[in-house]
Amino acid sequence: MILDIISFSCPLILASMGALFSEYTGSLALFLEGLIGFSAFLGFGFTVSTGSLSTGILLTIITTILITGIFSLLIEKTKANKFIASLGMNLIFSASVSLFSSLFFKTRGVLTSDKFIFNTTTVEIFSITTTFILVIAAVIFLIFTQKGIYIRITGSDSDILTVKGINPSLYRTAAWCITAFFTAFSGIILSLRVSAFVPGISGGKGWMALAAVFLGKKKWWQIIIFVIIFCGIDFISAGIQNYISAIPSSVILALPYIVILLLISIKK
């Protein structure tokens, strides 16, 4: 059961680590929810069209980083409000899934293919291994490298970078690109888990990732603890109705979010 919960937590851990980079630079990635679904769709589309999962993953990563980077550069250049722009990006990513699904697959519903069927155990191993490697790499980068330190001070002490002749906007853009990198894996893993693309596949994980970063106070290990708590409750709640049928399904679906609100209230 513990292994199942850890595997279940992987997409949210990856999304949360991506959000952490953006939080350090003072430009929290409020587009996570839409980008997770967009990445899951791209992972399915590229894999089916190329017939190769590795190629599908690579193209998904490149596409999400490129699009997010372009948006970030435009926002920095026009000095747009990052909060509003980020929310706008979330809507664009969500709408793009519906548009491209209709154009290329002639449906806005569930997408399946014989080229996109994967063994559950293999997906779990891939999820846990990938998440472990990426989290360790992110922690080492943030703590022990100069570029990582620059990202960590961009939001709180950007004047230091300016004095050193470094443009803080470059690190804000870099942080969003790193966020896109982690989010791409998050979306891909979600689609691999069900061997399909399902509309709304993100299931609120983008917002949960942002909540985990807030509750974890930018400490990676605390963020992971809160993610596992959220996912543990989500995982367990899925089986509660088998034992307590009187609980409405709407309450069970809302249980993780109720817990998040309670934790945020307590933190305050």
Side-chain angles (χ1 to χ4, degrees), residues 30 81-89:
L30 299 176
N81 184 296
K82 291 182 179 61
F83 178 84
I84 296 175
S86 188
L87 289 175
M89 287 172 62

Side-chain angles (χ1 to χ4, degrees), residues 35-231:
L35 188 56
I36 291 173
F38 186 64
S39 299
F41 173 77
L42 289 180
F44 174 87
F46 283 135
T47 299
V48 171
S49 61
T50 63
S52 168
L53 176 60
S54 57
T55 303
I57 292 174
L58 180 61
L59 290 175
T60 298
I61 293 170
I62 292 172
T63 304
T64 53
I65 291 176
L66 185 61
I67 293 175
T68 304
I70 290 172
F71 273 125
S72 180
L73 289 172
L74 287 173
I75 292 168
E76 292 291 337
K77 185 174 183 179
T78 59
K79 300 186 185 301
N81 184 296
K82 291 182 179 61
F83 178 84
I84 296 175
S86 188
L87 289 175
M89 287 172 62
N90 186 64
L91 294 175
I92 290 172
F93 286 131
S94 299
S96 296
V97 171
S98 179
L99 173 62
F100 293 137
S101 180
S102 178
L103 286 175
F104 295 110
F105 297 101
K106 310 304 178 184
T107 179
R108 295 179 180 178
V110 177
L111 302 177
T112 59
S113 172
D114 293 338
K115 298 179 181 179
F116 203 82
I117 298 175
F118 305 97
N119 178 269
T120 302
T121 302
T122 303
V123 172
E124 285 187 352
I125 294 172
F126 172 78
S127 302
I128 294 173
T129 304
T130 301
T131 301
F132 178 79
I133 292 172
L134 292 182
V135 169
I136 294 299
V139 172
I140 292 173
F141 174 76
L142 286 170
I143 297 176
F144 299 107
T145 69
Q146 186 181 59
K147 301 297 183 183
I149 293 172
Y150 285 168
I151 283 180
R152 286 165 55 197
I153 66 174
T154 298
S156 57
D157 299 293
S158 59
D159 291 342
I160 296 176
L161 297 180
T162 304
V163 170
K164 292 173 70 68
I166 300 171
N167 188 352
S169 68
L170 295 178
Y171 282 91
R172 286 192 289 268
T173 296
W176 270 20
C177 289
I178 293 172
T179 299
F181 172 78
F182 277 88
T183 306
F185 275 103
S186 177
I188 289 167
I189 289 174
L190 285 174
S191 61
L192 291 178
R193 184 185 293 170
V194 294
S195 291
F197 171 76
V198 181
I201 195 170
S202 54
K205 286 179 174 56
W207 306 117
M208 292 172 73
L210 299 177
V213 171
F214 171 78
L215 292 168
K217 296 182 177 180
K218 295 193 286 191
K219 295 180 180 178
W220 67 272
W221 57 273
Q222 287 191 23
I223 292 171
I224 291 177
I225 288 174
F226 280 111
V227 166
I228 292 175
I229 290 173
F230 297 162
C231 291

Side-chain angles (χ1 to χ4, degrees), residues 233 237 240-241 246-259:
I233 293 169
S237 65
I240 286 179
Q241 208 167 30
I247 300 178
S249 58
S250 56
V251 174
I252 292 175
L253 290 173
L255 189 57
Y257 306 102
I258 293 172
V259 172

Side-chain angles (χ1 to χ4, degrees), residues 3-22:
L3 189 62
D4 290 334
I5 292 176
I6 293 174
S7 174
F8 190 72
S9 304
C10 287
L12 186 52
I13 290 175
L14 291 170
S16 299
M17 291 304 296
L20 177 61
F21 279 85
S22 67

